Amino acid sequence: MDIFEIILGSYESYVIGVKCRFKSQTKELELVQSFNDHVHQASIRSVACSSKYMVSSSTDETIEVYNMVRRCHVHTILQHSGTVTSLSFTPDESHLISTSEDGSIAMFETGTWKLKKLWDKAHKGSAVSFLAVHPSGKLALSVGKDRTLRTWNLVKGRPAYTTNQSSMSAYYFFDNIIWSPAGQYYGLPLNTKLMIFNVETAGIAFTIEDNHKIHGATFITENLVCYGSENGSLHCYDIINKESIWEIKIGDTRVKCLIKIDSRLVTALSDGHVTVWELNGSKTPVESCSLFLDCRITCICNNSLKKSKIVKDESDEEVEVKNDIIVGVNIPDKTQNNKRKLATNGISNQTKNSIKKKKSVSNSWKVSENV
């Protein structure tokens, strides 16, 4: 029985699916690779999921769109002229927002992927590093190489106000933003610091300082924030009481990214180790299962699609999610609407060694030819 599926991006330009499931006739969990795809031509920078679609971006300046109901590649977005640095769906999943080193922020309509709004100089022409949408969907925050934090009114589709952050660091840039579950707080990692801001007071609620660079970070609860550092350590802090809750060493390389899924925490080290941890309030988490992917992980997201869920596809037909894995690797041009699928008879529980090979996908994939 599958519990959840995560999507990972890698430096080797692969998009990889990993499922967490119960072992046969036991209550033990295991991680198994569900698919890998090599549609990008350069390293993956961001991945994001809605209840139906998965999108990935890369330094090759493209955004690739997958239908996770039919498990196929369906579209390529060629809007940006620079590395696409971040992707995020609005909470109602009606729009996809992308940021790029070309200095723009773009908003696309989900499903048709038509450009609905473009801020071509969102940060005065400087590269836009990251954008995060508030849980309410009414506003978003973005950071860029101009050392500013900008607030965007998504209801009216225009910028709201700008905060200059240049005094915080003369050498480093913000490249990530995290929201708390209810949206009362947001966090900005900056080198060895993690600054937590209170939305109501518009001030810093708590600043966490580490001896090593901070990479992945996420809120576990509204008051508990967790982050991974350069030396492979995982930390949890209470931002109300301003104290450390727990700290564990989970590897020898940097904790590149982490994500909370229900009552579990998933961590990914830059060397390819993916681990699921069982959370229990303020107690130290317990390792549940792990998997080694022979690649350098760059980003992570949670595929929220449930297997028994009935959703609409592009033709407005009701489709039930299947258990088989079908993923496409074609890159359609602007005029091509055909969608190819790649069928497989099953994928081994072990990670495919072909992740390192950029010339072809795993041997278990059978590519259908256009007729």
Side-chain angles (χ1 to χ4, degrees):
M1 176 184 174
D2 296 336
I3 302 175
F4 61 80
E5 182 180 32
I6 56 173
I7 310 297
L8 301 156
S10 73
Y11 186 82
E12 292 81 3
S13 69
Y14 275 85
V15 177
I16 307 163
V18 174
K19 286 186 176 182
C20 179
R21 66 186 187 187
F22 288 110
K23 294 182 180 179
S24 300
Q25 299 179 348
T26 66
K27 293 184 178 180
E28 295 182 2
L29 297 180
E30 64 176 352
L31 289 176
V32 294
Q33 184 184 339
S34 55
F35 72 85
N36 68 68
D37 190 21
H38 194 200
V39 69
H40 285 286
Q41 303 303 312
S43 62
I44 309 298
R45 288 294 299 270
S46 179
V47 288
C49 290
S50 67
S51 61
K52 178 179 178 181
Y53 294 102
M54 184 269 288
V55 290
S56 61
S57 69
S58 167
T59 56
D60 64 7
E61 304 177 359
T62 66
I63 301 172
E64 304 296 345
V65 183
Y66 297 80
N67 184 320
M68 297 305 287
V69 179
R70 297 186 178 277
R71 311 290 278 193
C72 64
H73 175 274
V74 294
H75 191 64
T76 299
I77 300 175
L78 303 173
Q79 170 63 37
H80 296 287
S81 58
T83 297
V84 184
T85 53
S86 73
L87 297 169
S88 56
F89 283 97
T90 55
D92 63 359
E93 303 180 359
S94 62
H95 292 84
L96 168 70
I97 304 176
S98 63
T99 63
S100 173
E101 288 186 352
D102 64 12
S104 67
I105 297 177
M107 179 179 288
F108 305 92
E109 184 181 48
T110 303
T112 65
W113 310 112
K114 293 180 179 179
L115 181 66
K116 290 298 182 180
K117 190 73 177 180
L118 177 66
W119 295 279
D120 56 350
K121 295 183 178 180
H123 281 252
K124 294 185 177 180
S126 298
V128 186
S129 304
F130 198 87
L131 181 143
V133 181
H134 188 269
S136 68
K138 296 181 179 180
L139 61 90
L141 298 177
S142 67
V143 288
K145 292 296 180 65
D146 61 346
R147 293 190 174 89
T148 62
L149 173 72
R150 296 179 183 264
T151 304
W152 302 88
N153 186 328
L154 298 183
V155 177
K156 297 182 179 180
R158 64 187 185 189
Y161 49 89
T162 302
T163 305
N164 193 327
Q165 307 284 0
S166 59
S167 61
M168 295 185 180
S169 176
Y171 304 102
Y172 300 101
F173 300 96
F174 292 106
D175 58 4
N176 191 14
I177 306 169
I178 57 172
W179 282 106
S180 62
Q184 183 180 355
Y185 301 96
Y186 64 90
L188 297 176
L190 180 66
N191 196 30
T192 59
K193 295 181 180 180
L194 175 58
M195 288 171 283
I196 307 298
F197 292 80
N198 188 313
V199 174
E200 293 181 358
T201 63
I204 298 178
F206 184 38
T207 298
I208 302 170
E209 296 192 30
D210 198 282
N211 294 325
H212 302 86
K213 184 176 180 180
I214 295 174
H215 290 278
T218 187
F219 278 90
I220 296 178
T221 66
E222 193 67 20
N223 301 328
L224 296 181
V225 66
C226 181
Y227 71 87
S229 60
E230 182 81 16
N231 69 337
S233 296
L234 196 63
H235 307 256
C236 181
Y237 277 83
D238 186 325
I239 62 176
I240 300 298
N241 298 321
K242 300 181 179 181
E243 61 181 5
S244 175
I245 302 301
W246 48 260
E247 174 185 349
I248 53 176
K249 179 79 171 176
I250 65 173
D252 297 323
T253 59
R254 69 175 67 100
V255 183
K256 185 61 178 178
C257 44
L258 61 157
I259 186 173
K260 180 180 180 291
I261 304 176
D262 299 326
S263 61
R264 298 178 177 89
L265 182 70
V266 182
T267 59
L269 302 183
S270 59
D271 63 359
H273 282 91
V274 181
T275 307
V276 177
W277 304 84
E278 298 288 343
L279 296 174
N280 185 14
S282 59
K283 296 181 180 179
T284 303
V286 178
E287 180 178 344
S288 179
C289 56
S290 63
L291 176 68
F292 175 69
L293 299 171
D294 196 6
C295 63
R296 291 170 289 177
I297 296 172
T298 58
C299 50
I300 189 173
C301 74
N302 173 30
N303 179 19
S304 59
L305 183 64
K306 302 301 182 181
K307 296 201 314 182
S308 60
K309 188 175 182 179
I310 301 295
V311 296
K312 296 279 187 178
D313 71 352
E314 286 86 350
S315 60
D316 291 331
E317 295 177 355
E318 287 191 346
V319 178
E320 185 173 1
V321 181
K322 304 297 182 181
N323 292 331
D324 56 322
I325 306 301
I326 305 173
V327 176
V329 296
N330 63 307
I331 306 178
D333 56 36
K334 293 183 179 180
T335 61
Q336 182 180 359
N337 294 321
N338 295 330
K339 298 183 284 292
R340 289 191 299 167
K341 298 181 180 180
L342 282 75
T344 178
N345 294 326
I347 295 181
S348 168
N349 291 347
Q350 297 181 352
T351 305
K352 304 294 179 293
N353 293 328
S354 63
I355 291 180
K356 285 187 175 181
K357 301 177 182 178
K358 292 192 174 183
K359 293 184 179 180
S360 63
V361 292
S362 171
N363 293 332
S364 62
W365 303 91
K366 297 180 181 179
V367 181
S368 60
E369 299 294 333
N370 285 336
V371 179

